[in-house]
Amino acid sequence: MTSLRVFVDILTPKQCMLFSKLSERLENEGHQVLKVTREYREVVKLLALKGVDAKVVGKHGGGTLAGKLRASAGRVLKLASLVKEWKPDVAVSFSSPETARVAFGLGVPHVCVNDSPHAEAVARLTIPLSKRLLTPKVIPKRAWLSFGISADKIIQYDALDAWAWLRDFEPNENVLKQLGLDRSKPIITFRTEETFAAYLLGKTPKKPLVIPIIEKLLEASQDFQTVVIPRYEKQALALQEILGKRAVVCESIIDGQSLLFFSSIFVGAGGTMTAEAALLGVPTFSCYPDEPFLIEKYLMNKGLVVRETDPEKAAKKIMRTLSSLESVKTAQEEKARRLAQTFEDPIEVIARTIKDVACSSR
């Protein structure tokens, strides 16, 4: 196969993990990959941590619809110049409205990856403009049809996205030293909600949802270490002000997968880290503030995630898990291992589809 020019847009930490693996695969096969991102604290710093070279184009729109619209419009103009100059054979994104629009406008085939039909705004802006949609098999094709794509253009892979970077994952204990943690006492790790996502605007309180759960736990016991991974600087400041020295609040970007691996329990108010923790065999709780999304429902059905949004009930369930941690963790690890045995490598399916689309469009 002749060398392809592949344009990849990376907008979130999850996309950094997924698309860095994809880019590595394509580059090892001799293809040229141009990776772009936007000004967004978590992503830019995570790309640097992972040693991924990506061109920063435009910025995140923040927590208002008007801000998102203005930032998106400005980014479209910048990406249009870049794509026109670089002339890719194919563009790839995880439902990036800007890349989908620019690719369509310049006649470049766009391949969309997405596991979040609940994020309706970006789905409506990207899926109709895409040659193919790649998605986990646990999400039925019918969940996507209302967004303007036919079933024959939907390619499913038998895995969750997180398996793409967890299948060959090696934990690094340095993350514990970085955060001042040790393995003498249990570690409970919390992840805050995505307050700026369009699908959650107006549905989350001003202070992070995990705070009342942490406070209830600390009232019950001090015999564990508490870590919180915020998404935004505003969340970090709120957490530090309320929790003080009672919890470790991650101020810089860390090796999140390694922290999860060494955690005794994980409590998530979002999606990706909840799936990562569950697949790593960590007892996992979800306090996601809206209706459970399809991936979360799947993990709940597999017995890998316990959902509880009431802070008092959540704290009681977490304390019960702590009291029998060894047996619970052993059972969780076995469930995760058996599930992962059924998975294929998502990167293989995505890379193959990208090459097929690019070659058929030449």
Side-chain angles (χ1 to χ4, degrees):
M1 177 185 290
T2 56
S3 175
L4 298 173
R5 294 167 71 84
V6 184
F7 183 92
V8 179
D9 198 2
I10 302 170
L11 301 182
T12 67
K14 169 184 176 168
Q15 294 173 33
C16 174
M17 302 303 298
L18 180 67
F19 287 151
S20 61
K21 285 288 185 183
L22 173 65
S23 299
E24 182 182 5
R25 169 70 173 265
L26 293 170
E27 288 167 343
N28 287 342
E29 293 178 353
H31 305 295
Q32 298 178 63
V33 181
L34 176 59
K35 297 176 281 291
V36 299
T37 186
R38 60 184 172 178
E39 291 178 24
Y40 180 30
R41 170 185 173 268
E42 278 205 314
V43 180
V44 172
K45 291 186 177 181
L46 183 58
L47 286 165
L49 180 68
K50 297 294 180 182
V52 178
D53 184 24
K55 184 177 180 66
V56 178
V57 180
K59 62 182 181 180
H60 187 279
T64 67
L65 293 177
K68 289 179 182 296
L69 181 59
R70 283 193 293 267
S72 181
R75 193 164 188 260
V76 163
L77 294 175
K78 293 175 182 178
L79 285 178
S81 298
L82 180 60
V83 170
K84 184 180 178 183
E85 179 183 352
W86 200 65
K87 295 182 173 62
D89 296 298
V90 62
V92 185
S93 81
F94 202 98
S95 269
S96 162
E98 298 81 45
T99 287
R101 178 66 186 93
V102 169
F104 182 80
L106 295 176
V108 177
H110 178 252
V111 173
C112 183
V113 186
N114 197 324
D115 71 345
S116 307
H118 57 276
E120 291 189 13
V122 294
R124 292 187 183 282
L125 292 169
T126 56
I127 291 174
L129 305 182
S130 303
K131 292 290 185 182
R132 294 290 184 276
L133 168 64
L134 289 132
T135 189
K137 192 175 288 185
V138 300
I139 301 175
K141 288 187 177 184
R142 65 178 180 274
W144 301 108
L145 299 181
S146 64
F147 297 120
I149 191 169
S150 58
D152 62 305
K153 292 185 177 180
I154 302 173
I155 309 295
Q156 296 171 301
Y157 40 86
D158 199 359
L160 300 184
D161 289 348
W163 189 239
W165 59 91
L166 293 180
R167 59 190 298 273
D168 57 359
F169 166 70
E170 293 290 340
N172 187 335
E173 203 164 348
N174 286 339
V175 71
L176 300 182
K177 297 176 185 176
Q178 180 186 347
L179 296 173
L181 304 169
D182 59 59
R183 302 179 73 177
S184 64
K185 291 200 299 184
I187 298 170
I188 305 180
T189 298
F190 294 81
R191 174 63 158 169
T192 56
E193 66 276 13
E194 173 53 281
T195 49
F196 288 171
Y199 57 89
L200 283 179
L201 288 182
K203 295 181 180 179
T204 57
K206 289 185 178 180
K207 72 175 185 179
L209 289 164
V210 298
I211 287 177
I213 300 176
I214 295 171
E215 290 178 327
K216 293 288 184 184
L217 285 171
L218 292 173
E219 287 173 11
S221 173
Q222 301 286 318
D223 198 27
F224 55 83
Q225 301 165 94
T226 305
V227 186
V228 191
I229 309 173
R231 293 176 185 266
Y232 302 102
E233 191 173 348
K234 285 184 178 179
Q235 288 180 335
L237 292 172
L239 288 159
Q240 289 165 345
E241 183 179 344
I242 294 168
L243 297 174
K245 295 183 179 179
R246 296 182 295 166
V248 176
V249 178
C250 300
E251 297 181 19
S252 59
I253 301 305
I254 57 163
D255 180 353
Q257 293 73 41
S258 290
L259 175 59
L260 289 178
F261 180 87
F262 294 114
S263 295
S264 308
I265 292 172
F266 174 75
V267 183
T272 301
M273 291 195 84
T274 298
E276 287 177 320
L279 293 179
L280 286 170
V282 180
T284 301
F285 293 83
S286 170
C287 60
Y288 179 69
D290 202 7
E291 179 70 19
F293 47 90
L294 290 170
I295 299 297
E296 183 174 292
K297 287 180 179 179
Y298 170 77
L299 291 168
M300 289 165 60
N301 290 337
K302 295 293 182 181
L304 288 168
V305 169
V306 175
R307 178 173 170 81
E308 183 54 72
T309 57
D310 180 88
E312 190 165 346
K313 291 179 181 178
K316 286 179 180 178
K317 290 179 180 179
I318 293 166
M319 290 303 299
R320 282 200 296 269
T321 299
L322 272 178
S323 67
S324 55
L325 186 59
E326 189 173 335
S327 61
V328 173
K329 190 166 176 60
T330 299
Q332 180 90 359
E333 288 172 346
E334 179 60 20
K335 289 177 188 175
R337 186 190 64 79
R338 280 185 293 180
L339 180 61
Q341 282 182 332
T342 69
F343 285 170
E344 62 183 328
D345 181 5
I347 297 300
E348 186 173 330
V349 181
I350 297 170
R352 182 172 64 244
T353 303
I354 289 168
K355 289 179 284 188
D356 288 347
V357 168
C359 291
S360 64
S361 300
R362 277 183 162 181

